[in-house]
Amino acid sequence: MDTALADRLAAVDERIQDAARAAGRDLAGITRIVVTKFHPASLVSDLYALGVRHVGENRQQELTAKRAELVGIPDLVWHFIGQAQTNKARAVRAAADAVHSVDRSRIADALHGAADGHAALDVLVQVNLTDDPGRGGVAPDGAERLAAHVAELSSLRLRGVMAVAPLDEEPARAFERLRRSADAVRSVVPDAGWISAGMTGDFPEAIAMGATHLRIGSAITGPRPPRD
Ligand SMILES: *Cc1c(COP(=O)(O)O)cnc(C)c1O
């Protein structure tokens, strides 16, 4: 086992604890998801041995393949955090325990349509915090309406909101907008209290804003291998 991996994980967890303490928050309200995209399934099993129980993937094929490879590992929660395509909804639904990237009604409908016999799927409304409509996520002023749509789909459990902070703005400022969207979504579904935010470069700011689910990749895994 890679001791550097254990060291990086411990260092990140210490920073999470520090940020939670500074914000007066209880660690029990913060789930650290390790983003393992582009890394082999063996990295996921190494992380599991270190106590990690939540992992994140952003491509459906990779998620499906790794989950199949690691099917014997109990209690591992797979979060899908990538752009979701309607024609992949069935595969996403089969492999993910939570989908963070619901950003339009059509993808919500497709996931609902793929319910088969699966248990209710945890989903989050992804909010676009940039000015670029081409980026993933619904515009902040559309989050409430999308939440109302998702709330009508019985096989989906609306949990909250997700976002990636823009590169060209103070993350704390961008996360304030996300918090307003989170409030708007909770006005529709009061217990949809998850806020998925915070990556390697901005997780302390996300914790200060109230993030409940951090998605941390390279600070823990080391640099990602090149995309294929
Ligand atoms: C890759 C990715 C992350 C993790 O990024 P790091 O900067 O490596 O921590 C988080 N969220 C999403 C949506 C990602 O695609």
Side-chain angles (χ1 to χ4, degrees), residues 119-130:
L121 180 68
D122 288 332
V123 299
L124 292 90
V125 164
Q126 182 178 354
V127 179
N128 182 358
L129 300 178
T130 76

Side-chain angles (χ1 to χ4, degrees), residues 80-181:
F80 184 68
I81 62 174
Q83 292 266 7
Q85 290 166 290
T86 51
N87 62 341
K88 300 290 176 57
R90 196 160 297 277
V92 167
R93 180 114 204 195
D97 298 298
V99 174
H100 291 226
S101 42
V102 170
D103 61 358
R104 57 203 190 280
S105 13
R106 280 192 54 218
I107 189 67
D109 293 340
L111 288 168
H112 176 61
D116 292 333
H118 294 295
L121 180 68
D122 288 332
V123 299
L124 292 90
V125 164
Q126 182 178 354
V127 179
N128 182 358
L129 300 178
T130 76
D131 297 328
D132 175 0
R135 303 293 296 269
V138 64
D141 64 3
E144 186 173 333
R145 194 197 305 173
L146 179 55
H149 182 86
V150 173
E152 295 297 315
L153 303 174
S154 57
S155 78
L156 305 183
R157 192 160 43 206
L158 180 62
R159 289 298 202 173
V161 294
M162 177 274 221
V164 176
L167 292 172
D168 58 354
E169 186 184 3
E170 277 295 309
R173 257 189 56 180
F175 288 149
E176 273 312 309
R177 296 200 292 288
L178 180 60
R179 191 149 74 174
R180 286 199 291 277
S181 293

